[in-house]
Amino acid sequence: MKKFLIGVAAALLIVSSMGQLAFAANGQQVVNNDVIRSTSTVQANTVVARIANIAGGFGGGFGGGGSFGGTQGLSLAPKADEKAPAFAFNAGMTEDGLSAGQQGSEFGVWGLGMYTNFSNDDEATKYDADLYTVMVGGDWRVTDDLLVGLALGYEYLDLDKKYGNGGSLETDGSYTIMPYLGYTIMEGTVLDAAFGYTSSEYEDDNGTASADYDADRYVSSIGLSQYLDYDAWTFSGRAGFLYVHGDQSDYDRSGANVDNPDSFLGQWSLGLKAAYTYDAWQPYVGVNYLYDAITSSRPVNSDYDEFEAIVGVNCYAIDQLSITAEFGTSLDRSQYESYRSMLNLRYEF
């Protein structure tokens, strides 16, 4: 494992040393790149959030002997003067990572629905897009420290172009498969990794004629999370790197061949979150910083980074079932805005 971590760190250092690589972009290239960034970060960050938070419940207690981790990294060890949510992965866990009087859950299944709106306000590349995402997944606790899983996803994109002659970009079908894993390196420290492939069919209209083309998207994500409990509070942080390559096929429009360039993105991320547990409820707030170290295109008046503000709540409805609702919005990326809302259910057995 140490050799693996050293190799990953070296690879990320090489990628980062390449600097802010970008090329001059027209409207279509910016649309392609923003679609790649927005759809990939939505899927990958959603899945890896599930990984680190679940895997955080493995490997025993942290900060006072209670478990860390669970659905959002909280300690749910019962206290004498208050009721703790009954959630199989972490409620009343012992130092061995098991719920008192029972064996820890080995399997979990989850599903989520998400709506994202993102837009660009630069006159040369202006657009407005709606993205609908559905994902389901299942995972297996192989050992006390290792979690492996598989997620499947479907997304629908509806983008209105407001530059040039206008037009639209829509998906006729977009399907994702994404294996993932989480590994507890030490108490309170979790490594997560996910690798995804998405196959999409697009219908592109430039305002005068339409055409269809296929696209393949490859996503790799790796991150390291740290959890710390203090009384009813849980604080967590995650540093990660995401790399995406979008391979769009060439196509014919009005008898002419259109060269559709590939899109790629290498993005560093740093996130902080604070959560408070009360009865079966756990509201939380967080902020993410995203930095595009490598990008295939960007608008002239835009930039390479942004913040994302997050607010959400977990509800531990019944034993082994959790429900999460979350809202996020982008901040401080020039000419670009993004808003998303998500509902997630998870059941363990």
Side-chain angles (χ1 to χ4, degrees), residues 315-348:
C315 175
Y316 299 89
I318 59 175
D319 188 31
Q320 298 176 292
L321 175 67
S322 70
I323 303 172
T324 301
E326 182 177 285
F327 174 79
T329 180
S330 63
L331 303 170
D332 202 37
R333 186 186 286 267
S334 299
Q335 310 297 332
Y336 178 84
E337 293 182 347
S338 176
Y339 305 91
R340 64 176 177 87
S341 56
M342 181 269 290
L343 182 66
N344 180 85
L345 283 79
R346 177 176 175 84
Y347 181 78
E348 298 180 350

Side-chain angles (χ1 to χ4, degrees), residues 54-333:
I54 299 165
F58 300 163
F62 181 74
S67 70
F68 63 88
T71 301
Q72 293 295 335
L74 71 160
S75 174
L76 298 181
K79 297 179 175 61
D81 57 349
E82 62 182 271
K83 177 183 176 183
F87 192 58
F89 248 138
N90 42 25
M93 278 194 178
T94 67
E95 292 183 355
D96 295 326
L98 302 179
S99 296
Q102 66 177 39
Q103 185 178 1
S105 299
E106 289 188 37
F107 302 98
V109 292
W110 56 270
L112 68 84
M114 182 180 298
Y115 167 73
T116 306
N117 174 266
F118 59 99
S119 59
N120 184 293
D121 294 329
D122 188 275
E123 288 300 324
T125 57
K126 193 173 184 178
Y127 67 82
D128 185 85
D130 295 312
L131 176 67
Y132 303 88
T133 305
V134 177
M135 299 193 77
V136 295
D139 39 67
W140 173 39
R141 176 182 173 180
V142 181
T143 70
D144 286 348
D145 297 325
L146 179 63
L147 175 86
V148 296
L150 180 69
L152 303 175
Y154 172 82
E155 65 187 28
Y156 172 71
L157 173 71
D158 183 8
L159 184 147
D160 292 326
K161 303 176 184 178
K162 300 182 179 181
Y163 60 88
N165 295 321
S168 63
L169 179 67
E170 295 184 29
T171 51
D172 289 332
S174 186
Y175 303 92
T176 296
I177 182 169
M178 183 175 291
Y180 58 87
L181 66 87
Y183 182 77
T184 303
I185 299 173
M186 63 179 68
E187 294 182 356
T189 305
V190 177
L191 173 73
D192 63 75
F195 310 94
Y197 168 72
T198 299
S199 176
S200 304
E201 295 181 1
Y202 289 96
E203 181 178 345
D204 189 308
D205 189 323
N206 66 358
T208 59
S210 63
D212 298 328
Y213 65 88
D214 299 328
D216 297 318
R217 186 169 72 232
Y218 305 89
V219 177
S220 299
S221 173
I222 189 168
L224 194 66
S225 299
Q226 182 67 45
Y227 297 88
L228 175 64
D229 290 340
Y230 180 77
D231 198 14
W233 289 92
T234 296
F235 303 96
S236 60
R238 180 183 182 274
F241 185 78
L242 172 75
Y243 185 78
V244 187
H245 177 208
D247 182 7
Q248 287 89 218
S249 65
D250 297 345
Y251 58 93
D252 292 326
R253 191 192 326 253
S254 300
N257 181 261
V258 178
D259 183 16
N260 208 2
D262 289 359
S263 298
F264 51 86
L265 171 71
Q267 185 182 80
W268 291 99
S269 63
L270 179 64
L272 299 173
K273 183 183 291 184
Y276 183 82
T277 305
Y278 179 76
D279 262 353
W281 298 90
Q282 187 199 35
Y284 60 89
V285 296
V287 60
N288 294 322
Y289 175 68
L290 309 175
Y291 178 79
D292 300 343
I294 306 170
T295 180
S296 51
S297 64
R298 72 180 179 94
V300 175
N301 297 321
S302 187
D303 48 29
Y304 287 97
D305 62 347
E306 69 179 88
F307 290 91
E308 182 188 33
I310 298 172
V311 60
V313 61
N314 297 307
C315 175
Y316 299 89
I318 59 175
D319 188 31
Q320 298 176 292
L321 175 67
S322 70
I323 303 172
T324 301
E326 182 177 285
F327 174 79
T329 180
S330 63
L331 303 170
D332 202 37
R333 186 186 286 267

Side-chain angles (χ1 to χ4, degrees), residues 12-96:
L12 296 182
L13 182 61
I14 292 172
V15 170
S16 180
S17 67
M18 295 174 65
Q20 293 176 329
L21 177 62
F23 299 98
N26 58 31
Q28 186 63 44
Q29 289 173 324
V30 169
V31 166
N32 289 345
N33 195 67
D34 283 1
V35 167
I36 288 291
R37 184 179 68 243
S38 298
T39 56
S40 299
T41 54
V42 162
Q43 287 188 339
N45 291 344
T46 297
V47 170
V48 299
R50 306 280 81 76
I51 304 168
N53 293 331
I54 299 165
F58 300 163
F62 181 74
S67 70
F68 63 88
T71 301
Q72 293 295 335
L74 71 160
S75 174
L76 298 181
K79 297 179 175 61
D81 57 349
E82 62 182 271
K83 177 183 176 183
F87 192 58
F89 248 138
N90 42 25
M93 278 194 178
T94 67
E95 292 183 355
D96 295 326

